[in-house]
Amino acid sequence: MSVPDYMNLPYDLSGSMAKNRFRIEMLWGLKKVLELLKNNNEFIILFDYKCDIEIHLPNSNFEFYQLKTSNTGNYTINKLLKKNDVGQSVLGKLYLLKYDRSGVEQDEIKLAIVSNVALKDTTKLHTNLESVLLKSIDGNDVTKIKNDVTKELSQQSEIKLENTFFIKTTIDLTNPNETLMGELASFFVSFYDCEVKRLRSLFSTLQTIITDKASYEFELLTYDDLIIKKGVTKKDFEKIFQSHMDNSDTALEKSSAYIESEYKAFFGMRVKLSKALKQVFFSLKISKPLQLIENKIAKFILENIHYLNGTDKEIIGFISERFMNEKPLEVENQEFEMLILLILKKFEEGLYEQLNH
């Protein structure tokens, strides 16, 4: 076959378009994860189960996001309400997730259509806000949405349209990978106060995990199975991020060297203390209670520096006993001792000089 003959063959881009839609869905989900981590709340994120992206929060709070990309134009109300071949509109299909098993509408459930283009109602193109509450748009359009979705879902009572949004994503869809890697790098600096190492490797790891979770296509009968097969938790992300933190911190290195030297003949203890040190070093960057106790201990050392003449091990034991009643409950005893060791090494580096003022 000649090249002109080949070029004359019919082509099918539906597969490529589907892959691209999933890629955008995944990247938006990753961006959402960074927002959630900054808020420091527990969460589980699920891909492609009840809808494109779900966020499960404490106290049975749920958020559902449906992504809809568009190559041109704006997202109109008619587009939101246009029914497909089986009689479902984009908004109607998503709104179904607001009802519990008794058919009662749940106001606290958050729904959002996420798109790369802005929402346009009868009177306004909503370009000044990233997130638009659908109840706040043109009154005639609100009435039309309520009427159409109520009828589509065969509800006896008119839908309330509470907590339902249209979100215009700020992700650069022409170059989303580079945009997200830039956000990851900025996130590490602003949130963990350190550089990220092996950025592309981290990005690739996150893509693989999300793709694996989203690709699971069998029915799941229990919530526990659902979380295992389809969910990624806050702790999962923190564990991954922890392994990509650039820990080139002098105090951390000196603390590690102390463990290696002091427990040279005790392999098991070295492993336990090294693990506790890494954990407390990571937690210290995000835990307010740990930061508060760090500050208290540092002030205590400053005020009593002339009396602390024992070995590091003796000083750690003394301070640990002195502050044990103020230790955050979630911190293990060995982690607390490693926190004190880290503070001692930071002191040697002059990192608490501001406490003198």
Side-chain angles (χ1 to χ4, degrees):
M1 179 184 291
S2 67
V3 170
D5 286 337
Y6 167 80
M7 291 302 291
N8 194 45
L9 294 173
Y11 60 85
D12 180 6
L13 295 177
S14 58
S16 299
M17 293 169 69
K19 288 186 178 71
N20 198 40
R21 280 197 295 274
F22 173 69
R23 179 166 159 261
I24 292 168
E25 171 188 323
M26 179 186 64
L27 294 171
W28 189 84
L30 189 52
K31 181 180 172 65
K32 185 70 182 173
V33 165
L34 297 184
E35 290 178 16
L36 291 165
L37 286 171
K38 286 176 183 175
N39 291 332
N40 207 24
N41 291 326
E42 295 297 324
F43 68 87
I44 304 167
I45 186 168
L46 289 87
F47 292 82
D48 287 326
Y49 196 61
K50 303 292 185 184
C51 64
D52 286 343
I53 292 173
E54 304 171 30
I55 309 294
H56 295 198
L57 297 164
N59 303 317
S60 298
N61 286 318
F62 297 93
E63 297 179 357
F64 298 100
Y65 299 90
Q66 189 69 39
L67 274 80
K68 291 293 173 185
T69 57
S70 179
N71 295 327
T72 56
N74 307 301
Y75 218 99
T76 63
I77 302 304
N78 286 335
K79 204 169 181 178
L80 277 179
L81 300 174
K82 184 180 179 182
K83 294 183 178 62
N84 60 18
D85 294 340
V86 294
Q88 290 181 318
S89 68
V90 169
L91 185 57
K93 187 178 178 182
L94 182 65
Y95 208 87
L96 193 59
L97 301 176
K98 258 192 173 291
Y99 291 88
D100 67 11
R101 288 175 295 171
S102 302
V104 177
E105 188 174 347
Q106 306 294 304
D107 294 344
E108 68 276 12
I109 289 178
K110 180 178 180 179
L111 303 178
I113 303 292
V114 181
S115 181
N116 58 315
V117 297
L119 178 69
K120 186 176 188 304
D121 64 23
T122 302
T123 57
K124 184 177 180 182
L125 177 61
H126 295 268
T127 55
N128 57 335
L129 291 173
E130 182 179 357
S131 179
V132 178
L133 181 64
L134 287 183
K135 274 188 73 174
S136 70
I137 65 173
D138 180 88
N140 290 328
D141 288 319
V142 172
T143 301
K144 180 176 174 55
I145 289 172
K146 286 184 174 181
N147 289 341
D148 279 27
V149 176
T150 301
K151 186 177 178 182
E152 180 183 333
L153 300 183
S154 301
Q155 293 295 322
Q156 292 185 341
S157 300
E158 184 179 72
I159 68 165
K160 300 174 189 173
L161 208 55
E162 295 287 350
N163 221 6
T164 305
F165 298 84
F166 184 96
I167 296 174
K168 181 185 180 301
T169 177
T170 54
I171 290 180
D172 177 7
L173 297 182
T174 59
N175 202 4
N177 286 16
E178 295 301 324
T179 303
L180 260 295
M181 280 195 282
E183 292 207 17
L184 269 174
S186 298
F187 174 82
F188 269 70
V189 172
S190 64
F191 192 66
Y192 294 135
D193 193 25
C194 70
E195 301 290 332
V196 56
K197 60 182 179 183
R198 306 189 308 276
L199 177 58
R200 290 190 181 277
S201 168
L202 169 62
F203 192 65
S204 176
T205 300
L206 294 170
Q207 281 186 309
T208 301
I209 290 172
I210 293 172
T211 302
D212 287 347
K213 296 286 184 178
S215 301
Y216 189 83
E217 57 183 16
F218 296 103
E219 183 181 3
L220 293 160
L221 299 179
T222 69
Y223 186 74
D224 287 343
D225 284 345
L226 172 66
I227 299 308
I228 291 171
K229 299 294 185 184
K230 300 287 285 182
V232 191
T233 67
K234 178 191 175 190
K235 286 184 179 176
D236 293 332
F237 283 108
E238 287 180 340
K239 189 175 179 182
I240 297 166
F241 284 8
Q242 188 176 354
S243 67
H244 285 266
M245 291 171 63
D246 185 354
N247 293 331
S248 55
D249 182 286
T250 304
L252 178 66
E253 291 174 359
K254 291 178 76 170
S255 299
S256 297
Y258 169 83
I259 293 171
E260 288 293 323
S261 171
E262 188 71 19
Y263 298 92
K264 188 175 182 180
F266 304 96
F267 172 73
M269 184 57 77
R270 281 207 316 275
V271 172
K272 286 181 183 177
L273 292 179
S274 294
K275 184 179 178 183
L277 176 64
K278 288 176 183 173
Q279 180 59 47
V280 81
F281 180 78
F282 174 75
S283 300
L284 196 55
K285 294 177 182 297
I286 57 176
S287 168
K288 295 295 181 188
L290 212 53
Q291 291 166 5
L292 285 174
I293 193 67
E294 177 198 14
N295 204 40
K296 278 188 176 183
I297 293 173
K299 282 184 177 177
F300 175 81
I301 294 172
L302 181 68
E303 292 166 0
N304 297 278
I305 191 72
H306 299 298
Y307 304 105
L308 299 174
N309 292 319
T311 65
D312 284 7
K313 193 173 184 178
E314 289 170 341
I315 294 171
I316 290 168
F318 171 70
I319 294 177
S320 175
E321 188 177 340
R322 170 70 174 73
F323 285 91
M324 186 54 71
N325 291 337
E326 298 180 58
K327 177 177 76 68
L329 290 176
E330 68 274 16
V331 177
E332 302 288 340
N333 287 351
Q334 281 186 335
E335 291 173 354
F336 193 52
E337 290 177 356
M338 291 302 97
L339 170 66
I340 298 166
L341 172 63
L342 197 57
I343 293 170
L344 292 178
K345 299 307 172 189
K346 283 186 174 184
F347 227 98
E348 291 174 6
E349 294 300 309
L351 296 182
Y352 295 112
E353 288 180 352
Q354 77 278 7
L355 298 178
N356 277 316
H357 303 293

